[in-house]
Amino acid sequence: MMNAADGHGIVGREMLRLLAAIQYFTRLPAPGWVGHDQALLDDAVRYFPAVGLLVGSVGACVLIAADQFWKMPIAVVLSMIATIVLTGAFHEDGLADAADGLGGSSDRTRTLEIMKDSRIGVFGAAALILALLLKFSALSGLPLARAAWLLIAGHAISRFGAVLIMATLPYVRDVDQSRSKPLVRQVSRTALILGAATSGVGLIPVQWRGLLGGVGVLGLCLGWRAYLQRRLGGYTGDCLGAAQQASESVFYLLCIGSV
């Protein structure tokens, strides 16, 4: 069966998949010819970490520009606002919903029902506030250049953690009723390799601390995967958003530690 990526050369197919990933995971517009083909969006998952590089780069540019006019804490807040606007709070929303569901009930069915509720509860509000405060606190005390590189690396490696979970767990919702259905099919080995390589590029400027942070993100995501397998038997889109937010925070913490 043909999909939107067929009929193009290798470069053309990969560019189409990259644009599809940008279109799905951010609020940036894409050319109309990219379309919304299901198979194309499935393939676009391989560029999830690349989108992280883009989002982190925008945040870093806003950070650097804002630092010319205001003190570092204000610049960090503005950079965080920029990344949230760019992604439409996609992952922050997932974190809040996952916290409400997992914190609100020990019953699997009820947990999934709570996650689908668009209203935010106490667990979700607390998780979201604490995650934002943690990221702000980690970055606001750093030198400008270091904070900028950490933003880029953190956004990339945290999204690879989500790809890893998608590749190793089943999706637990009804595909036809899910806004995340482009993510629910089997993630290919190519997607994992490309995602890891892209994340690795983002870690290079952070040097050995980036490696430490990357190992920490890997450990966190494997632990989160095991928890989701036990609690839900798989993942939801909200669980992926929670993984991204938690991974980003853990990465910053490990990279700024005094080790």
Side-chain angles (χ1 to χ4, degrees):
M1 183 176 180
M2 294 285 287
N3 64 56
D6 293 328
H8 297 76
I10 294 177
V11 174
R13 286 197 300 271
E14 295 309 313
M15 181 58 67
L16 193 60
R17 288 163 177 158
L18 175 59
L19 289 173
I22 293 172
Q23 176 179 255
Y24 186 79
F25 293 115
T26 75
R27 291 295 180 89
L28 293 176
W33 47 263
V34 173
H36 298 275
D37 179 77
Q38 177 68 58
L40 173 62
L41 289 174
D42 288 339
D43 290 340
V45 173
R46 69 186 65 184
Y47 288 113
F48 197 6
V51 172
L53 287 179
L54 172 63
V55 173
S57 295
V58 170
C61 288
V62 171
L63 179 74
I64 293 169
D67 185 70
Q68 309 306 308
F69 302 96
W70 300 284
K71 293 183 179 180
M72 188 63 171
I74 295 177
V76 169
V77 171
L78 292 175
S79 73
M80 292 171 65
I81 292 173
T83 60
I84 290 173
V85 170
L86 184 59
T87 61
F90 192 60
H91 310 295
E92 288 80 5
D93 178 64
L95 170 64
D97 288 342
D100 276 334
L102 294 167
S105 176
S106 59
D107 178 73
R108 178 182 182 276
T109 301
R110 180 57 183 154
T111 294
L112 293 174
E113 289 176 353
I114 295 173
M115 285 188 191
K116 290 180 67 175
D117 192 333
S118 60
R119 295 169 296 182
I120 189 170
V122 174
F123 288 106
L128 187 56
I129 291 171
L130 291 173
L132 293 174
L133 282 175
L134 191 58
K135 288 187 282 187
F136 167 77
S137 300
L139 296 171
S140 60
L142 297 177
L144 178 61
R146 187 178 177 192
W149 284 120
L150 281 182
L151 268 172
I152 297 172
H155 277 277
I157 190 65
S158 61
R159 284 161 171 80
F160 175 68
V163 174
L164 182 63
I165 291 173
M166 284 188 280
T168 57
L169 282 181
Y171 189 71
V172 296
R173 288 200 189 281
D174 182 351
V175 175
D176 293 331
Q177 297 179 359
S178 172
R179 70 173 180 171
S180 299
K181 61 183 179 180
L183 305 180
V184 302
R185 296 180 180 176
Q186 183 67 39
V187 177
S188 67
R189 182 178 300 178
T190 299
L192 281 174
I193 294 174
L194 187 56
T198 304
S199 301
V201 170
L203 295 179
I204 291 174
V206 194
Q207 301 177 345
W208 69 268
R209 288 185 182 274
L211 179 60
L212 175 64
V215 172
V217 167
L218 178 62
L220 172 70
C221 288
L222 290 176
W224 182 236
R225 177 199 176 280
Y227 174 74
L228 293 176
Q229 187 174 38
R230 178 174 59 84
R231 277 291 311 270
L232 303 177
Y235 73 90
T236 69
D238 293 327
C239 295
L240 297 179
Q244 188 278 322
Q245 289 288 292
S247 295
E248 186 185 348
S249 298
V250 166
F251 178 78
Y252 296 151
L253 290 177
L254 290 175
C255 287
I256 68 172
S258 58
V259 179

